[in-house]
Amino acid sequence: MAIRMGYWDCPACGKKKNPGPERGCPQCGTSRDPSVSFYTEDDAPAITDAALLERAKAGADWVCPYCGADNAATRNACVGCGAVMDGAKHREARYIPDQPPPPTSTASAKPRRLLPIVLMTAAVLFGAIYLLFIRTRAVTVAVARSSWVKTVQVEDLVTQHASAWRSEVPHDARITGQVTKERTRRVQSGTEKLKVGKKDLGNGMFEDVYENKPKYVEQRYSDEWVSYDVDRWVQGRTLKEERSDGSEPPYPAFAAQLGQREAGRSSEIRLELSGGGKSYEFTEKNASAASLARYKVGARFTAKVNLVGSITELVP
Ligand SMILES: [Zn+2]
Ligand SMILES: [Zn+2]
């Protein structure tokens, strides 16, 4: 909890590093005005003088409202005019955090050099995405084939083999084997006092500020590395019913066997279109009788086609 010497620069004669507690400039005699601010250095001498220490701990200096003199908090009457301290403003005491330690050259160089590359890559990617997928041209197309497709997605229950540390094994797993292995973990071994900054005491002196930070060590310990089987649902077949004659198909029949389940269904209209000597495909999700009627064979639309030849929108 060291208290260190602060300094101030004389605004009148320019003399640097006047001792903080000194109320007048040793070179020109100008008084240490309230507008003068204090600074210190990390290796500034620690204060050992009992009277100065008492003054440092008494708090920020006060400014005489009558003559403007800067007074130590231990004084009751103004050193300049003798007025009592009542109602006087104190200088501000403030906390100054230490600068974070300068990053090592490799750590600092990398992000700075990477940032322009990352930005440029992002710009190029965005440009490519825009040109290929977002920018479109208009093409007049006609429906060549229209079908209503309904699907049922099936999932199968599959036994998966895996291994993990004991505490990470899923609760529904069946254990098939285990071995003891060494591993390491980070444990808190205690705390350490670290200097995190200093406090401008507002009286020409500064106090180091410390904080208790947790301290960690790597600890080796034994754990079980477990092999296990676990059943998981994975994507299986897609059942499909399709009609191209303008009628609505039923959903595919699906009766779940043991180890099977339905995972979702879809109903959509798939179109084949032609225009400008080319053919296109387009899928409308959430099919209905009305949408099927709209997409009769021969019906004409304006298609918005992107550079890779996909229709992004169909406008009547
Ligand atoms: Zn001076
Ligand atoms: Zn005064």
Side-chain angles (χ1 to χ4, degrees), residues 145-183:
R145 187 171 187 270
S146 164
S147 44
W148 191 332
V149 180
K150 290 188 177 177
T151 65
V152 168
Q153 183 64 50
V154 177
E155 283 184 344
D156 300 314
L157 194 59
V158 170
T159 300
Q160 298 177 334
H161 310 287
S163 40
W165 294 110
R166 161 77 67 189
S167 61
E168 291 148 14
V169 174
H171 294 297
D172 57 344
R174 299 181 297 278
I175 288 163
T176 56
Q178 62 184 57
V179 288
T180 303
K181 280 200 205 179
E182 287 259 288
R183 62 189 294 204

PDB file of all heavy atoms in Angstrom, residues 145-183:
ATOM      1  N   ARG A 145     -43.929 -27.827 -66.969  1.00  0.00           N
ATOM      2  CA  ARG A 145     -44.401 -28.975 -66.185  1.00  0.00           C
ATOM      3  C   ARG A 145     -44.628 -28.499 -64.771  1.00  0.00           C
ATOM      4  O   ARG A 145     -43.863 -27.695 -64.240  1.00  0.00           O
ATOM      5  CB  ARG A 145     -43.344 -30.087 -66.198  1.00  0.00           C
ATOM      6  CG  ARG A 145     -43.796 -31.385 -65.565  1.00  0.00           C
ATOM      7  CD  ARG A 145     -42.756 -32.480 -65.836  1.00  0.00           C
ATOM      8  NE  ARG A 145     -43.233 -33.789 -65.394  1.00  0.00           N
ATOM      9  CZ  ARG A 145     -43.036 -34.291 -64.178  1.00  0.00           C
ATOM     10  NH1 ARG A 145     -42.374 -33.573 -63.277  1.00  0.00           N
ATOM     11  NH2 ARG A 145     -43.503 -35.483 -63.868  1.00  0.00           N
ATOM     12  N   SER A 146     -45.721 -28.969 -64.161  1.00  0.00           N
ATOM     13  CA  SER A 146     -46.064 -28.551 -62.810  1.00  0.00           C
ATOM     14  C   SER A 146     -46.484 -29.790 -62.037  1.00  0.00           C
ATOM     15  O   SER A 146     -47.348 -30.545 -62.484  1.00  0.00           O
ATOM     16  CB  SER A 146     -47.214 -27.529 -62.892  1.00  0.00           C
ATOM     17  OG  SER A 146     -47.814 -27.390 -61.626  1.00  0.00           O
ATOM     18  N   SER A 147     -45.860 -30.033 -60.903  1.00  0.00           N
ATOM     19  CA  SER A 147     -46.286 -31.193 -60.110  1.00  0.00           C
ATOM     20  C   SER A 147     -46.390 -30.830 -58.636  1.00  0.00           C
ATOM     21  O   SER A 147     -45.658 -29.985 -58.128  1.00  0.00           O
ATOM     22  CB  SER A 147     -45.347 -32.389 -60.312  1.00  0.00           C
ATOM     23  OG  SER A 147     -44.009 -31.977 -60.289  1.00  0.00           O
ATOM     24  N   TRP A 148     -47.319 -31.463 -57.974  1.00  0.00           N
ATOM     25  CA  TRP A 148     -47.549 -31.292 -56.537  1.00  0.00           C
ATOM     26  C   TRP A 148     -46.870 -32.481 -55.857  1.00  0.00           C
ATOM     27  O   TRP A 148     -47.177 -33.627 -56.173  1.00  0.00           O
ATOM     28  CB  TRP A 148     -49.055 -31.267 -56.253  1.00  0.00           C
ATOM     29  CG  TRP A 148     -49.402 -30.836 -54.848  1.00  0.00           C
ATOM     30  CD1 TRP A 148     -48.651 -30.988 -53.736  1.00  0.00           C
ATOM     31  CD2 TRP A 148     -50.614 -30.199 -54.434  1.00  0.00           C
ATOM     32  NE1 TRP A 148     -49.290 -30.477 -52.651  1.00  0.00           N
ATOM     33  CE2 TRP A 148     -50.520 -29.974 -53.049  1.00  0.00           C
ATOM     34  CE3 TRP A 148     -51.790 -29.777 -55.110  1.00  0.00           C
ATOM     35  CZ2 TRP A 148     -51.541 -29.383 -52.304  1.00  0.00           C
ATOM     36  CZ3 TRP A 148     -52.793 -29.194 -54.370  1.00  0.00           C
ATOM     37  CH2 TRP A 148     -52.667 -28.980 -52.966  1.00  0.00           C
ATOM     38  N   VAL A 149     -45.935 -32.178 -54.972  1.00  0.00           N
ATOM     39  CA  VAL A 149     -45.127 -33.230 -54.334  1.00  0.00           C
ATOM     40  C   VAL A 149     -45.325 -33.176 -52.832  1.00  0.00           C
ATOM     41  O   VAL A 149     -45.199 -32.111 -52.223  1.00  0.00           O
ATOM     42  CB  VAL A 149     -43.623 -33.055 -54.659  1.00  0.00           C
ATOM     43  CG1 VAL A 149     -42.802 -34.149 -53.995  1.00  0.00           C
ATOM     44  CG2 VAL A 149     -43.406 -33.043 -56.158  1.00  0.00           C
ATOM     45  N   LYS A 150     -45.680 -34.318 -52.243  1.00  0.00           N
ATOM     46  CA  LYS A 150     -45.769 -34.411 -50.781  1.00  0.00           C
ATOM     47  C   LYS A 150     -44.744 -35.421 -50.292  1.00  0.00           C
ATOM     48  O   LYS A 150     -44.575 -36.478 -50.893  1.00  0.00           O
ATOM     49  CB  LYS A 150     -47.174 -34.821 -50.348  1.00  0.00           C
ATOM     50  CG  LYS A 150     -48.207 -33.728 -50.586  1.00  0.00           C
ATOM     51  CD  LYS A 150     -49.543 -34.068 -49.987  1.00  0.00           C
ATOM     52  CE  LYS A 150     -50.528 -32.915 -50.179  1.00  0.00           C
ATOM     53  NZ  LYS A 150     -51.866 -33.234 -49.659  1.00  0.00           N
ATOM     54  N   THR A 151     -44.049 -35.064 -49.220  1.00  0.00           N
ATOM     55  CA  THR A 151     -43.012 -35.962 -48.701  1.00  0.00           C
ATOM     56  C   THR A 151     -43.216 -36.200 -47.209  1.00  0.00           C
ATOM     57  O   THR A 151     -43.810 -35.373 -46.508  1.00  0.00           O
ATOM     58  CB  THR A 151     -41.596 -35.371 -48.891  1.00  0.00           C
ATOM     59  OG1 THR A 151     -41.495 -34.197 -48.101  1.00  0.00           O
ATOM     60  CG2 THR A 151     -41.298 -35.057 -50.343  1.00  0.00           C
ATOM     61  N   VAL A 152     -42.715 -37.326 -46.776  1.00  0.00           N
ATOM     62  CA  VAL A 152     -42.628 -37.635 -45.346  1.00  0.00           C
ATOM     63  C   VAL A 152     -41.179 -38.007 -45.067  1.00  0.00           C
ATOM     64  O   VAL A 152     -40.613 -38.869 -45.741  1.00  0.00           O
ATOM     65  CB  VAL A 152     -43.574 -38.788 -44.952  1.00  0.00           C
ATOM     66  CG1 VAL A 152     -43.246 -39.279 -43.541  1.00  0.00           C
ATOM     67  CG2 VAL A 152     -45.029 -38.343 -45.038  1.00  0.00           C
ATOM     68  N   GLN A 153     -40.580 -37.301 -44.115  1.00  0.00           N
ATOM     69  CA  GLN A 153     -39.183 -37.567 -43.758  1.00  0.00           C
ATOM     70  C   GLN A 153     -39.154 -38.587 -42.619  1.00  0.00           C
ATOM     71  O   GLN A 153     -39.850 -38.422 -41.620  1.00  0.00           O
ATOM     72  CB  GLN A 153     -38.504 -36.265 -43.318  1.00  0.00           C
ATOM     73  CG  GLN A 153     -37.035 -36.400 -42.983  1.00  0.00           C
ATOM     74  CD  GLN A 153     -36.209 -36.811 -44.198  1.00  0.00           C
ATOM     75  OE1 GLN A 153     -36.318 -36.205 -45.257  1.00  0.00           O
ATOM     76  NE2 GLN A 153     -35.412 -37.872 -44.041  1.00  0.00           N
ATOM     77  N   VAL A 154     -38.353 -39.641 -42.808  1.00  0.00           N
ATOM     78  CA  VAL A 154     -38.276 -40.711 -41.812  1.00  0.00           C
ATOM     79  C   VAL A 154     -36.937 -40.637 -41.089  1.00  0.00           C
ATOM     80  O   VAL A 154     -35.913 -40.329 -41.699  1.00  0.00           O
ATOM     81  CB  VAL A 154     -38.428 -42.097 -42.493  1.00  0.00           C
ATOM     82  CG1 VAL A 154     -38.288 -43.226 -41.480  1.00  0.00           C
ATOM     83  CG2 VAL A 154     -39.766 -42.172 -43.210  1.00  0.00           C
ATOM     84  N   GLU A 155     -36.954 -40.873 -39.777  1.00  0.00           N
ATOM     85  CA  GLU A 155     -35.707 -40.997 -39.012  1.00  0.00           C
ATOM     86  C   GLU A 155     -35.566 -42.414 -38.478  1.00  0.00           C
ATOM     87  O   GLU A 155     -36.558 -43.044 -38.124  1.00  0.00           O
ATOM     88  CB  GLU A 155     -35.698 -40.001 -37.844  1.00  0.00           C
ATOM     89  CG  GLU A 155     -35.391 -38.572 -38.280  1.00  0.00           C
ATOM     90  CD  GLU A 155     -35.291 -37.605 -37.110  1.00  0.00           C
ATOM     91  OE1 GLU A 155     -35.743 -37.947 -35.999  1.00  0.00           O
ATOM     92  OE2 GLU A 155     -34.766 -36.505 -37.320  1.00  0.00           O
ATOM     93  N   ASP A 156     -34.321 -42.888 -38.449  1.00  0.00           N
ATOM     94  CA  ASP A 156     -34.031 -44.224 -37.932  1.00  0.00           C
ATOM     95  C   ASP A 156     -33.231 -44.113 -36.644  1.00  0.00           C
ATOM     96  O   ASP A 156     -32.370 -43.249 -36.514  1.00  0.00           O
ATOM     97  CB  ASP A 156     -33.196 -45.019 -38.960  1.00  0.00           C
ATOM     98  CG  ASP A 156     -33.934 -45.165 -40.272  1.00  0.00           C
ATOM     99  OD1 ASP A 156     -35.143 -45.502 -40.234  1.00  0.00           O
ATOM    100  OD2 ASP A 156     -33.321 -44.906 -41.332  1.00  0.00           O
ATOM    101  N   LEU A 157     -33.538 -45.017 -35.722  1.00  0.00           N
ATOM    102  CA  LEU A 157     -32.787 -45.069 -34.468  1.00  0.00           C
ATOM    103  C   LEU A 157     -31.531 -45.899 -34.694  1.00  0.00           C
ATOM    104  O   LEU A 157     -31.621 -47.073 -35.056  1.00  0.00           O
ATOM    105  CB  LEU A 157     -33.657 -45.694 -33.371  1.00  0.00           C
ATOM    106  CG  LEU A 157     -33.161 -45.536 -31.940  1.00  0.00           C
ATOM    107  CD1 LEU A 157     -33.018 -44.074 -31.562  1.00  0.00           C
ATOM    108  CD2 LEU A 157     -34.114 -46.234 -30.973  1.00  0.00           C
ATOM    109  N   VAL A 158     -30.364 -45.251 -34.527  1.00  0.00           N
ATOM    110  CA  VAL A 158     -29.099 -45.908 -34.867  1.00  0.00           C
ATOM    111  C   VAL A 158     -28.219 -45.957 -33.628  1.00  0.00           C
ATOM    112  O   VAL A 158     -28.160 -44.996 -32.861  1.00  0.00           O
ATOM    113  CB  VAL A 158     -28.392 -45.113 -36.000  1.00  0.00           C
ATOM    114  CG1 VAL A 158     -26.983 -45.606 -36.210  1.00  0.00           C
ATOM    115  CG2 VAL A 158     -29.201 -45.207 -37.280  1.00  0.00           C
ATOM    116  N   THR A 159     -27.558 -47.097 -33.425  1.00  0.00           N
ATOM    117  CA  THR A 159     -26.619 -47.207 -32.304  1.00  0.00           C
ATOM    118  C   THR A 159     -25.272 -46.630 -32.717  1.00  0.00           C
ATOM    119  O   THR A 159     -24.689 -47.053 -33.709  1.00  0.00           O
ATOM    120  CB  THR A 159     -26.456 -48.674 -31.873  1.00  0.00           C
ATOM    121  OG1 THR A 159     -27.730 -49.155 -31.469  1.00  0.00           O
ATOM    122  CG2 THR A 159     -25.467 -48.803 -30.725  1.00  0.00           C
ATOM    123  N   GLN A 160     -24.808 -45.620 -31.957  1.00  0.00           N
ATOM    124  CA  GLN A 160     -23.520 -44.995 -32.258  1.00  0.00           C
ATOM    125  C   GLN A 160     -22.500 -45.393 -31.196  1.00  0.00           C
ATOM    126  O   GLN A 160     -22.844 -45.532 -30.027  1.00  0.00           O
ATOM    127  CB  GLN A 160     -23.668 -43.465 -32.276  1.00  0.00           C
ATOM    128  CG  GLN A 160     -24.625 -42.997 -33.370  1.00  0.00           C
ATOM    129  CD  GLN A 160     -24.841 -41.489 -33.355  1.00  0.00           C
ATOM    130  OE1 GLN A 160     -24.693 -40.854 -32.321  1.00  0.00           O
ATOM    131  NE2 GLN A 160     -25.201 -40.946 -34.500  1.00  0.00           N
ATOM    132  N   HIS A 161     -21.247 -45.608 -31.633  1.00  0.00           N
ATOM    133  CA  HIS A 161     -20.164 -45.948 -30.711  1.00  0.00           C
ATOM    134  C   HIS A 161     -19.331 -44.683 -30.486  1.00  0.00           C
ATOM    135  O   HIS A 161     -18.974 -44.013 -31.447  1.00  0.00           O
ATOM    136  CB  HIS A 161     -19.290 -47.050 -31.292  1.00  0.00           C
ATOM    137  CG  HIS A 161     -20.085 -48.217 -31.787  1.00  0.00           C
ATOM    138  ND1 HIS A 161     -20.702 -49.111 -30.952  1.00  0.00           N
ATOM    139  CD2 HIS A 161     -20.410 -48.614 -33.055  1.00  0.00           C
ATOM    140  CE1 HIS A 161     -21.349 -50.009 -31.664  1.00  0.00           C
ATOM    141  NE2 HIS A 161     -21.195 -49.736 -32.948  1.00  0.00           N
ATOM    142  N   ALA A 162     -19.043 -44.388 -29.231  1.00  0.00           N
ATOM    143  CA  ALA A 162     -18.278 -43.182 -28.939  1.00  0.00           C
ATOM    144  C   ALA A 162     -17.514 -43.360 -27.628  1.00  0.00           C
ATOM    145  O   ALA A 162     -17.696 -44.367 -26.926  1.00  0.00           O
ATOM    146  CB  ALA A 162     -19.201 -41.978 -28.836  1.00  0.00           C
ATOM    147  N   SER A 163     -16.660 -42.391 -27.300  1.00  0.00           N
ATOM    148  CA  SER A 163     -15.975 -42.419 -26.008  1.00  0.00           C
ATOM    149  C   SER A 163     -15.782 -41.002 -25.498  1.00  0.00           C
ATOM    150  O   SER A 163     -15.718 -40.051 -26.288  1.00  0.00           O
ATOM    151  CB  SER A 163     -14.623 -43.153 -26.099  1.00  0.00           C
ATOM    152  OG  SER A 163     -13.964 -42.817 -27.297  1.00  0.00           O
ATOM    153  N   ALA A 164     -15.728 -40.869 -24.182  1.00  0.00           N
ATOM    154  CA  ALA A 164     -15.643 -39.546 -23.555  1.00  0.00           C
ATOM    155  C   ALA A 164     -15.210 -39.717 -22.110  1.00  0.00           C
ATOM    156  O   ALA A 164     -15.229 -40.833 -21.572  1.00  0.00           O
ATOM    157  CB  ALA A 164     -16.987 -38.834 -23.608  1.00  0.00           C
ATOM    158  N   TRP A 165     -14.820 -38.603 -21.475  1.00  0.00           N
ATOM    159  CA  TRP A 165     -14.554 -38.643 -20.040  1.00  0.00           C
ATOM    160  C   TRP A 165     -15.844 -38.971 -19.303  1.00  0.00           C
ATOM    161  O   TRP A 165     -16.928 -38.571 -19.741  1.00  0.00           O
ATOM    162  CB  TRP A 165     -14.005 -37.310 -19.542  1.00  0.00           C
ATOM    163  CG  TRP A 165     -12.652 -36.976 -20.096  1.00  0.00           C
ATOM    164  CD1 TRP A 165     -12.353 -36.004 -20.996  1.00  0.00           C
ATOM    165  CD2 TRP A 165     -11.419 -37.635 -19.792  1.00  0.00           C
ATOM    166  NE1 TRP A 165     -11.006 -36.011 -21.268  1.00  0.00           N
ATOM    167  CE2 TRP A 165     -10.409 -37.004 -20.540  1.00  0.00           C
ATOM    168  CE3 TRP A 165     -11.066 -38.715 -18.961  1.00  0.00           C
ATOM    169  CZ2 TRP A 165      -9.075 -37.406 -20.497  1.00  0.00           C
ATOM    170  CZ3 TRP A 165      -9.738 -39.105 -18.915  1.00  0.00           C
ATOM    171  CH2 TRP A 165      -8.758 -38.456 -19.665  1.00  0.00           C
ATOM    172  N   ARG A 166     -15.713 -39.663 -18.188  1.00  0.00           N
ATOM    173  CA  ARG A 166     -16.856 -40.147 -17.406  1.00  0.00           C
ATOM    174  C   ARG A 166     -17.969 -39.105 -17.245  1.00  0.00           C
ATOM    175  O   ARG A 166     -19.140 -39.387 -17.466  1.00  0.00           O
ATOM    176  CB  ARG A 166     -16.341 -40.624 -16.030  1.00  0.00           C
ATOM    177  CG  ARG A 166     -17.341 -40.748 -14.924  1.00  0.00           C
ATOM    178  CD  ARG A 166     -18.200 -41.988 -15.035  1.00  0.00           C
ATOM    179  NE  ARG A 166     -17.437 -43.217 -14.849  1.00  0.00           N
ATOM    180  CZ  ARG A 166     -17.976 -44.444 -15.082  1.00  0.00           C
ATOM    181  NH1 ARG A 166     -19.212 -44.543 -15.494  1.00  0.00           N
ATOM    182  NH2 ARG A 166     -17.238 -45.517 -14.894  1.00  0.00           N
ATOM    183  N   SER A 167     -17.604 -37.859 -16.901  1.00  0.00           N
ATOM    184  CA  SER A 167     -18.623 -36.852 -16.602  1.00  0.00           C
ATOM    185  C   SER A 167     -19.328 -36.347 -17.859  1.00  0.00           C
ATOM    186  O   SER A 167     -20.346 -35.678 -17.763  1.00  0.00           O
ATOM    187  CB  SER A 167     -17.980 -35.666 -15.884  1.00  0.00           C
ATOM    188  OG  SER A 167     -17.010 -35.081 -16.735  1.00  0.00           O
ATOM    189  N   GLU A 168     -18.757 -36.656 -19.050  1.00  0.00           N
ATOM    190  CA  GLU A 168     -19.358 -36.152 -20.287  1.00  0.00           C
ATOM    191  C   GLU A 168     -20.139 -37.232 -21.024  1.00  0.00           C
ATOM    192  O   GLU A 168     -20.641 -37.000 -22.123  1.00  0.00           O
ATOM    193  CB  GLU A 168     -18.262 -35.600 -21.200  1.00  0.00           C
ATOM    194  CG  GLU A 168     -17.635 -34.325 -20.651  1.00  0.00           C
ATOM    195  CD  GLU A 168     -16.164 -34.171 -21.008  1.00  0.00           C
ATOM    196  OE1 GLU A 168     -15.671 -34.891 -21.891  1.00  0.00           O
ATOM    197  OE2 GLU A 168     -15.496 -33.337 -20.358  1.00  0.00           O
ATOM    198  N   VAL A 169     -20.233 -38.439 -20.437  1.00  0.00           N
ATOM    199  CA  VAL A 169     -20.964 -39.529 -21.090  1.00  0.00           C
ATOM    200  C   VAL A 169     -22.461 -39.241 -20.984  1.00  0.00           C
ATOM    201  O   VAL A 169     -22.957 -38.902 -19.913  1.00  0.00           O
ATOM    202  CB  VAL A 169     -20.620 -40.879 -20.413  1.00  0.00           C
ATOM    203  CG1 VAL A 169     -21.480 -42.002 -20.967  1.00  0.00           C
ATOM    204  CG2 VAL A 169     -19.144 -41.197 -20.601  1.00  0.00           C
ATOM    205  N   PRO A 170     -23.218 -39.332 -22.101  1.00  0.00           N
ATOM    206  CA  PRO A 170     -24.667 -39.072 -22.029  1.00  0.00           C
ATOM    207  C   PRO A 170     -25.349 -40.033 -21.057  1.00  0.00           C
ATOM    208  O   PRO A 170     -24.918 -41.170 -20.885  1.00  0.00           O
ATOM    209  CB  PRO A 170     -25.149 -39.322 -23.462  1.00  0.00           C
ATOM    210  CG  PRO A 170     -23.932 -39.257 -24.306  1.00  0.00           C
ATOM    211  CD  PRO A 170     -22.773 -39.659 -23.458  1.00  0.00           C
ATOM    212  N   HIS A 171     -26.431 -39.541 -20.434  1.00  0.00           N
ATOM    213  CA  HIS A 171     -27.095 -40.331 -19.392  1.00  0.00           C
ATOM    214  C   HIS A 171     -27.713 -41.622 -19.926  1.00  0.00           C
ATOM    215  O   HIS A 171     -27.838 -42.594 -19.198  1.00  0.00           O
ATOM    216  CB  HIS A 171     -28.174 -39.481 -18.713  1.00  0.00           C
ATOM    217  CG  HIS A 171     -27.582 -38.332 -17.952  1.00  0.00           C
ATOM    218  ND1 HIS A 171     -26.745 -38.520 -16.872  1.00  0.00           N
ATOM    219  CD2 HIS A 171     -27.662 -36.999 -18.141  1.00  0.00           C
ATOM    220  CE1 HIS A 171     -26.351 -37.332 -16.423  1.00  0.00           C
ATOM    221  NE2 HIS A 171     -26.892 -36.395 -17.189  1.00  0.00           N
ATOM    222  N   ASP A 172     -28.097 -41.620 -21.208  1.00  0.00           N
ATOM    223  CA  ASP A 172     -28.758 -42.813 -21.747  1.00  0.00           C
ATOM    224  C   ASP A 172     -27.771 -43.757 -22.432  1.00  0.00           C
ATOM    225  O   ASP A 172     -28.183 -44.639 -23.173  1.00  0.00           O
ATOM    226  CB  ASP A 172     -29.865 -42.389 -22.717  1.00  0.00           C
ATOM    227  CG  ASP A 172     -29.323 -41.511 -23.851  1.00  0.00           C
ATOM    228  OD1 ASP A 172     -28.197 -40.989 -23.722  1.00  0.00           O
ATOM    229  OD2 ASP A 172     -30.036 -41.354 -24.864  1.00  0.00           O
ATOM    230  N   ALA A 173     -26.460 -43.565 -22.193  1.00  0.00           N
ATOM    231  CA  ALA A 173     -25.470 -44.403 -22.861  1.00  0.00           C
ATOM    232  C   ALA A 173     -25.347 -45.759 -22.175  1.00  0.00           C
ATOM    233  O   ALA A 173     -25.609 -45.896 -20.988  1.00  0.00           O
ATOM    234  CB  ALA A 173     -24.123 -43.683 -22.854  1.00  0.00           C
ATOM    235  N   ARG A 174     -24.947 -46.760 -22.957  1.00  0.00           N
ATOM    236  CA  ARG A 174     -24.620 -48.085 -22.406  1.00  0.00           C
ATOM    237  C   ARG A 174     -23.096 -48.224 -22.436  1.00  0.00           C
ATOM    238  O   ARG A 174     -22.492 -48.194 -23.506  1.00  0.00           O
ATOM    239  CB  ARG A 174     -25.285 -49.196 -23.228  1.00  0.00           C
ATOM    240  CG  ARG A 174     -26.806 -49.104 -23.241  1.00  0.00           C
ATOM    241  CD  ARG A 174     -27.424 -50.230 -24.056  1.00  0.00           C
ATOM    242  NE  ARG A 174     -27.042 -50.164 -25.469  1.00  0.00           N
ATOM    243  CZ  ARG A 174     -27.648 -49.373 -26.363  1.00  0.00           C
ATOM    244  NH1 ARG A 174     -28.648 -48.584 -25.992  1.00  0.00           N
ATOM    245  NH2 ARG A 174     -27.259 -49.378 -27.608  1.00  0.00           N
ATOM    246  N   ILE A 175     -22.503 -48.361 -21.243  1.00  0.00           N
ATOM    247  CA  ILE A 175     -21.047 -48.356 -21.154  1.00  0.00           C
ATOM    248  C   ILE A 175     -20.495 -49.703 -21.609  1.00  0.00           C
ATOM    249  O   ILE A 175     -20.976 -50.764 -21.200  1.00  0.00           O
ATOM    250  CB  ILE A 175     -20.616 -47.995 -19.721  1.00  0.00           C
ATOM    251  CG1 ILE A 175     -20.900 -46.499 -19.511  1.00  0.00           C
ATOM    252  CG2 ILE A 175     -19.138 -48.290 -19.489  1.00  0.00           C
ATOM    253  CD1 ILE A 175     -20.932 -46.034 -18.102  1.00  0.00           C
ATOM    254  N   THR A 176     -19.498 -49.667 -22.490  1.00  0.00           N
ATOM    255  CA  THR A 176     -18.934 -50.897 -23.028  1.00  0.00           C
ATOM    256  C   THR A 176     -17.507 -51.123 -22.555  1.00  0.00           C
ATOM    257  O   THR A 176     -16.945 -52.186 -22.763  1.00  0.00           O
ATOM    258  CB  THR A 176     -18.949 -50.859 -24.569  1.00  0.00           C
ATOM    259  OG1 THR A 176     -18.240 -49.685 -24.996  1.00  0.00           O
ATOM    260  CG2 THR A 176     -20.376 -50.792 -25.097  1.00  0.00           C
ATOM    261  N   GLY A 177     -16.894 -50.126 -21.932  1.00  0.00           N
ATOM    262  CA  GLY A 177     -15.528 -50.323 -21.445  1.00  0.00           C
ATOM    263  C   GLY A 177     -14.986 -49.024 -20.888  1.00  0.00           C
ATOM    264  O   GLY A 177     -15.554 -47.962 -21.114  1.00  0.00           O
ATOM    265  N   GLN A 178     -13.902 -49.144 -20.094  1.00  0.00           N
ATOM    266  CA  GLN A 178     -13.292 -47.914 -19.593  1.00  0.00           C
ATOM    267  C   GLN A 178     -11.848 -48.147 -19.206  1.00  0.00           C
ATOM    268  O   GLN A 178     -11.472 -49.255 -18.829  1.00  0.00           O
ATOM    269  CB  GLN A 178     -14.082 -47.344 -18.416  1.00  0.00           C
ATOM    270  CG  GLN A 178     -14.146 -48.242 -17.198  1.00  0.00           C
ATOM    271  CD  GLN A 178     -15.036 -47.628 -16.124  1.00  0.00           C
ATOM    272  OE1 GLN A 178     -16.207 -47.344 -16.372  1.00  0.00           O
ATOM    273  NE2 GLN A 178     -14.491 -47.435 -14.943  1.00  0.00           N
ATOM    274  N   VAL A 179     -11.032 -47.097 -19.352  1.00  0.00           N
ATOM    275  CA  VAL A 179      -9.638 -47.144 -18.916  1.00  0.00           C
ATOM    276  C   VAL A 179      -9.362 -45.909 -18.074  1.00  0.00           C
ATOM    277  O   VAL A 179      -9.997 -44.874 -18.251  1.00  0.00           O
ATOM    278  CB  VAL A 179      -8.651 -47.185 -20.107  1.00  0.00           C
ATOM    279  CG1 VAL A 179      -8.682 -48.518 -20.805  1.00  0.00           C
ATOM    280  CG2 VAL A 179      -8.941 -46.049 -21.079  1.00  0.00           C
ATOM    281  N   THR A 180      -8.392 -46.047 -17.148  1.00  0.00           N
ATOM    282  CA  THR A 180      -8.009 -44.897 -16.337  1.00  0.00           C
ATOM    283  C   THR A 180      -6.914 -44.129 -17.060  1.00  0.00           C
ATOM    284  O   THR A 180      -5.949 -44.728 -17.549  1.00  0.00           O
ATOM    285  CB  THR A 180      -7.509 -45.371 -14.967  1.00  0.00           C
ATOM    286  OG1 THR A 180      -8.539 -46.146 -14.354  1.00  0.00           O
ATOM    287  CG2 THR A 180      -7.153 -44.196 -14.067  1.00  0.00           C
ATOM    288  N   LYS A 181      -7.111 -42.809 -17.174  1.00  0.00           N
ATOM    289  CA  LYS A 181      -6.118 -41.972 -17.868  1.00  0.00           C
ATOM    290  C   LYS A 181      -5.819 -40.739 -17.025  1.00  0.00           C
ATOM    291  O   LYS A 181      -6.633 -40.313 -16.221  1.00  0.00           O
ATOM    292  CB  LYS A 181      -6.669 -41.503 -19.210  1.00  0.00           C
ATOM    293  CG  LYS A 181      -6.599 -42.516 -20.338  1.00  0.00           C
ATOM    294  CD  LYS A 181      -6.698 -41.731 -21.635  1.00  0.00           C
ATOM    295  CE  LYS A 181      -7.243 -42.550 -22.791  1.00  0.00           C
ATOM    296  NZ  LYS A 181      -7.337 -41.715 -24.004  1.00  0.00           N
ATOM    297  N   GLU A 182      -4.637 -40.171 -17.277  1.00  0.00           N
ATOM    298  CA  GLU A 182      -4.244 -38.923 -16.624  1.00  0.00           C
ATOM    299  C   GLU A 182      -4.775 -37.742 -17.427  1.00  0.00           C
ATOM    300  O   GLU A 182      -4.777 -37.764 -18.655  1.00  0.00           O
ATOM    301  CB  GLU A 182      -2.711 -38.814 -16.603  1.00  0.00           C
ATOM    302  CG  GLU A 182      -2.026 -39.726 -15.632  1.00  0.00           C
ATOM    303  CD  GLU A 182      -1.612 -38.979 -14.375  1.00  0.00           C
ATOM    304  OE1 GLU A 182      -0.669 -38.193 -14.443  1.00  0.00           O
ATOM    305  OE2 GLU A 182      -2.271 -39.174 -13.331  1.00  0.00           O
ATOM    306  N   ARG A 183      -5.256 -36.730 -16.713  1.00  0.00           N
ATOM    307  CA  ARG A 183      -5.605 -35.485 -17.395  1.00  0.00           C
ATOM    308  C   ARG A 183      -5.278 -34.322 -16.474  1.00  0.00           C
ATOM    309  O   ARG A 183      -4.926 -34.542 -15.320  1.00  0.00           O
ATOM    310  CB  ARG A 183      -7.073 -35.485 -17.836  1.00  0.00           C
ATOM    311  CG  ARG A 183      -8.055 -35.590 -16.690  1.00  0.00           C
ATOM    312  CD  ARG A 183      -9.477 -35.814 -17.184  1.00  0.00           C
ATOM    313  NE  ARG A 183     -10.003 -34.659 -17.940  1.00  0.00           N
ATOM    314  CZ  ARG A 183     -11.305 -34.396 -18.066  1.00  0.00           C
ATOM    315  NH1 ARG A 183     -12.216 -35.173 -17.484  1.00  0.00           N
ATOM    316  NH2 ARG A 183     -11.725 -33.371 -18.762  1.00  0.00           N
TER     317      ARG A 183
END
